[in-house]
């Protein structure tokens, strides 16, 4: 970019050494102009070259690019860099990619079932108790420990196990939402992506009263037009503003589940009751993470609220504490629906989706093709729309979203309808029932790409055991 400077009613003399002789070059009088190399000027657009934009002056002219004296060989002055043979100071600043989010807290362990005597012994070894809380879900206490300086996490975990053979201990792993933003969307096709599974938008809330639904996710903008006048309760675990999670993901998932029927983003189950727990914190400038300690706390809160179905649009590594908590929750009658993950078709399994007691949901596009970044594996149970899903943006309006995060709510909503008349339905019975509401679109039977197949919600009301014949 060249910065043109106007100097009124002045004669400017420029000196240059040409062939060893000092030469003075007069510049035109009146509204004279000269150019300053881009390296000396700020470029707010972050581009080293403004291309053909021309810059222009206040009158809309093209600046000194239209002045013959600007061009070399035009009988006028050269730019100052050429005149004085200044070395180029332009430099290219390489793009900095954001640092990858760590997989776990660097110096923390989480343990459940740790006896008081064991805790006392660990503190003598240099461990510190950062927090502890009673968890009704597991019928005991959960403790977050700070590892002594200089001790590796593996050594620290071994030390805790040595103190208590009955305790379950693991790293304080981090989990993240599973979504990616797509380009803007227009037209009816964006709002109608749910039609590929035949979602009965006008009928489903009349044929069944879904049980209370739970959501563990990021922050939610409760003032979003789509969520006003809905039965939504948000519980935030962290009180610090500095670490508050972003509202993009949580708002989008909540709106997809219970968005008002008369809004731009009508929910799958408008009118249903949703209890959402914000278990996430901001990491760096844009990443939201939830640690194991907070995920278990969130799950315990929902159990205490008698929530029957929980949407988990998040993934992370296998964790013994999470596995123990998930098993306890499902044994209590809770149904967990989780995103299959967006790490790619060849990625290793992600959790909690890969646990046996969790319904793992993958994503497909409008053509019933698998989402290109969806994780595949034997643990995948069912597929649902997850590419170009039209849902709420974080502040206002709506936008297109993609990821297994947005496929999971379809199955969460379907399960809620299926168990409406029988909240205590066993997992075996529910699994058998879900299979009746899928279209086998992959290899015959269950496969690692689509699971049992694509959700077919067109007959959901027929599958609700409390439906009245007159409503069909």
């Amino acid at each position: 970019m060249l910065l043109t400077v106007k100097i009124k009613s002045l004669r400017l003399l420029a000196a240059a050494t040409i062939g060893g002789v000092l030469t003075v070059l007069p510049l035109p009088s009146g509204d004279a102009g000269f150019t300053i190399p881009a390296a000396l000027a700020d470029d707010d657009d972050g581009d080293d070259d403004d291309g053909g934009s021309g810059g222009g002056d206040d009158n809309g002219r093209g600046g000194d690019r239209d002045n013959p004296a600007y061009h070399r060989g035009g009988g006028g002055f050269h730019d100052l860099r050429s005149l004085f043979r200044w070395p180029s100071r332009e430099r290219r600043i390489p793009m900095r990619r954001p640092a990858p989010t760590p997989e776990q807290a660097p110096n923390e362990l989480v343990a459940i079932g740790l006896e008081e005597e064991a805790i006392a012994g660990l503190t003598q070894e240099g461990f510190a108790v950062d927090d502890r809380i009673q968890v009704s879900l597991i019928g005991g206490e959960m403790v977050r420990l700070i590892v002594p300086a200089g001790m590796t996490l593996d050594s620290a975990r071994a030390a805790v196990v040595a103190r208590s053979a009955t305790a379950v201990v693991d790293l304080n792993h981090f989990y993240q939402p599973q979504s990616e933003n797509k380009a803007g969307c227009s037209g009816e096709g964006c709002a109608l992506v749910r039609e590929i599974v035949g979602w009965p938008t006008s009928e489903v809330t009349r044929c069944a009263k879904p049980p209370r639904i739970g959501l563990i996710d990021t922050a939610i903008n409760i003032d979003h037009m789509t969520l006003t006048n809905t039965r939504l309760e948000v519980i935030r675990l962290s009180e610090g503003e500095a670490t508050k999670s972003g509202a993009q993901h949580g708002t989008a998932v909540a709106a997809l589940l219970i968005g008002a029927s008369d809004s731009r983003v009508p929910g799958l189950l408008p009118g249903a009751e949703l209890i959402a727990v914000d278990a996430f914190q901001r990491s760096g400038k844009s990443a939201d993470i939830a640690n194991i300690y907070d995920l278990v706390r969130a799950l315990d809160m929902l159990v205490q609220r008698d929530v029957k179905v929980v949407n988990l649009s998040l993934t992370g590594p296998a964790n013994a504490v999470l596995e123990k908590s998930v098993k306890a929750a499902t044994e209590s009658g809770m149904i967990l629906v989780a995103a299959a993950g967006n790490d790619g078709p060849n990625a290793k399994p992600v959790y909690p989706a890969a646990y046996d007691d969790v319904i793992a949901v993958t994503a497909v596009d409008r053509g019933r093709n698998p989402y290109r970044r969806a994780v595949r594996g034997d643990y995948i149970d069912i597929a649902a729309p997850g590419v170009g899903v039209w849902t709420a943006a974080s502040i206002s309006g709506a936008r297109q979203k993609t990821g297994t995060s947005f496929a999971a709510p379809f199955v969460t909503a379907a399960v809620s309808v299926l168990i409406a008349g029988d909240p205590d339905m066993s997992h075996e019975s529910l699994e058998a029932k879900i299979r009746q509401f899928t279209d086998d679109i992959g290899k015959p039977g269950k496969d690692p790409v689509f699971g049992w197949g694509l959700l077919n919600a067109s007959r959901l009301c027929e599958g609700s055991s409390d439906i009245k014949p007159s409503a069909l």
Side-chain angles (χ1 to χ4, degrees):
M1 181 183 73
L2 295 175
L3 176 64
T4 300
V5 180
K6 298 289 185 179
I7 301 178
K8 294 183 179 291
S9 303
L10 288 178
R11 292 183 62 82
L12 181 66
L13 299 181
T17 301
I18 302 177
V21 179
L22 180 65
T23 304
V24 177
L25 302 177
L27 297 184
S29 60
D31 286 0
F34 64 91
T35 58
I36 297 178
L40 303 181
D42 290 332
D43 189 356
D44 290 337
D45 64 6
D47 191 353
D48 291 331
D49 183 7
D50 281 338
S53 63
D57 58 18
D58 292 339
N59 295 319
R61 296 189 298 269
D64 282 325
R65 295 180 187 269
D66 297 328
N67 188 337
Y70 169 85
H71 301 283
R72 299 190 180 191
F77 58 92
H78 302 288
D79 67 42
L80 294 182
R81 181 182 300 163
S82 300
L83 187 64
F84 295 109
R85 302 293 189 268
W86 288 351
S88 174
R89 295 185 180 181
E90 295 181 6
R91 56 179 178 171
R92 300 269 182 179
I93 301 176
M95 292 183 62
R96 294 182 178 178
R97 295 187 178 184
T101 303
E103 195 173 79
Q104 72 278 322
N107 62 341
E108 296 179 3
L109 295 177
V110 177
I112 53 179
L114 200 58
E115 303 89 349
E116 197 65 42
E117 182 179 351
I119 295 175
L122 289 169
T123 55
Q124 291 178 357
E125 293 184 40
F127 286 82
V129 176
D130 186 57
D131 196 18
R132 57 197 302 179
I133 186 173
Q134 285 292 326
V135 180
S136 61
L137 176 64
I138 57 176
E141 189 177 50
M142 180 171 61
V143 181
R144 184 167 60 201
L145 298 168
I146 303 298
V147 175
M151 182 180 289
T152 67
L153 289 173
D154 286 340
S155 298
R157 181 164 49 182
V160 175
V161 171
R163 287 280 179 179
S164 175
T166 60
V168 177
V169 58
D170 211 329
L171 313 185
N172 197 10
H173 284 122
F174 294 149
Y175 293 72
Q176 292 186 274
Q178 293 298 291
S179 68
E180 71 169 312
N181 291 331
K182 299 294 284 185
C185 186
S186 61
E188 295 182 357
C190 298
L192 301 180
V193 65
R194 65 187 66 185
E195 288 191 353
I196 70 171
V197 295
W199 191 265
T201 53
S202 62
E203 182 182 317
V204 67
T205 53
R206 294 201 306 267
C207 71
K209 181 181 179 181
R212 187 176 292 161
I213 302 171
L215 172 65
I216 300 178
D217 216 294
T218 68
I220 295 174
N221 176 17
I222 60 175
D223 296 321
H224 195 288
M225 183 177 296
T226 300
L227 296 174
T228 56
N229 299 320
T230 59
R231 300 172 66 192
L232 170 64
E233 178 185 358
V234 179
I235 303 169
R236 185 181 172 197
L237 295 185
S238 176
E239 297 298 330
E241 285 297 320
T243 59
K244 186 176 181 180
S245 64
Q248 293 89 342
H249 193 270
T251 302
V253 175
L256 191 53
L257 282 168
I258 64 162
S261 58
D262 59 351
S263 70
R264 289 184 60 193
V265 190
L268 297 166
L269 296 175
E273 182 181 1
L274 180 66
I275 299 180
V277 183
D278 174 11
F280 284 76
Q281 298 181 20
R282 180 53 54 96
S283 173
K285 293 184 178 180
S286 59
D288 290 319
I289 58 174
N291 60 56
I292 281 295
Y293 191 79
D294 287 339
L295 282 182
V296 174
R297 289 173 60 200
L299 205 55
D300 188 52
M301 286 182 175
L302 295 177
V303 168
Q304 294 181 42
R305 297 292 189 97
D306 195 28
V307 169
K308 299 304 299 182
V309 184
V310 178
N311 190 95
L312 300 165
S313 291
L314 52 92
T315 69
N319 183 282
V321 174
L322 179 62
E323 183 177 12
K324 177 78 171 179
S325 302
V326 163
K327 189 172 184 60
T330 55
E331 287 179 348
S332 72
M334 179 178 279
I335 300 166
L336 303 179
V337 180
N342 301 344
D343 295 337
N346 298 318
K348 60 185 180 182
V350 293
Y351 299 84
Y355 289 129
D356 291 339
D357 299 319
V358 177
I359 300 174
V361 185
T362 190
V364 298
D365 62 19
R366 293 188 65 198
R368 294 184 165 196
N369 303 303
Y371 170 45
R372 61 183 178 84
R373 292 180 57 183
V375 180
R376 301 179 182 184
D378 293 337
Y379 69 93
I380 303 300
D381 292 307
I382 190 170
V387 178
V389 178
W390 192 238
T391 187
S394 60
I395 299 176
S396 63
R399 68 176 303 169
Q400 200 175 6
K401 300 278 189 176
T402 290
T404 55
S405 273
F406 307 106
F410 282 88
V411 178
T412 298
V415 168
S416 297
V417 174
L418 289 177
I419 68 170
D422 186 6
D424 298 323
M425 184 184 303
S426 68
H427 275 262
E428 292 76 14
S429 298
L430 176 61
E431 181 178 338
K433 202 163 193 176
I434 289 176
R435 293 184 200 177
Q436 300 173 18
F437 293 88
T438 59
D439 293 332
D440 194 346
I441 59 175
K443 295 180 179 179
K446 189 176 183 183
D447 66 74
V449 179
F450 303 103
W452 292 110
L454 176 65
L455 172 68
N456 183 340
S458 61
R459 297 182 295 104
L460 267 183
C461 283
E462 297 175 28
S464 177
S465 57
D466 69 336
I467 187 171
K468 298 177 181 179
S470 58
L472 288 175

